Amino acid sequence: MGSLRAFLEANGHWETAAANLSVHRHTLRNRITRCEELLSVDLTSARVRAELLLSLLAATS
């Protein structure tokens, strides 16, 4: 969830999210691909990213 949240908070920017997590961008891509598979979503969609980010924020508050 940490990788997904970092990716969503970086608005889908691989380099920014990877740097914030201190991982290589390919590692992050693998993690996000796995999230897409598990959640059956397409994270290239800004709407999907926004909905997921709001869900994560609501779950942690």
Side-chain angles (χ1 to χ4, degrees), residues 20-38:
N20 289 341
L21 292 168
S22 299
V23 298
H24 193 274
R25 68 182 181 280
H26 293 160
T27 300
L28 180 62
R29 283 184 190 266
N30 290 336
R31 292 176 184 177
I32 297 304
T33 298
R34 184 69 178 134
C35 289
E36 286 180 313
E37 292 168 356
L38 290 171

Side-chain angles (χ1 to χ4, degrees), residues 45-58:
S45 167
R47 181 182 177 119
V48 171
R49 289 194 311 270
E51 289 173 354
L52 279 174
L53 181 57
L54 289 172
S55 295
L56 284 173
L57 292 172

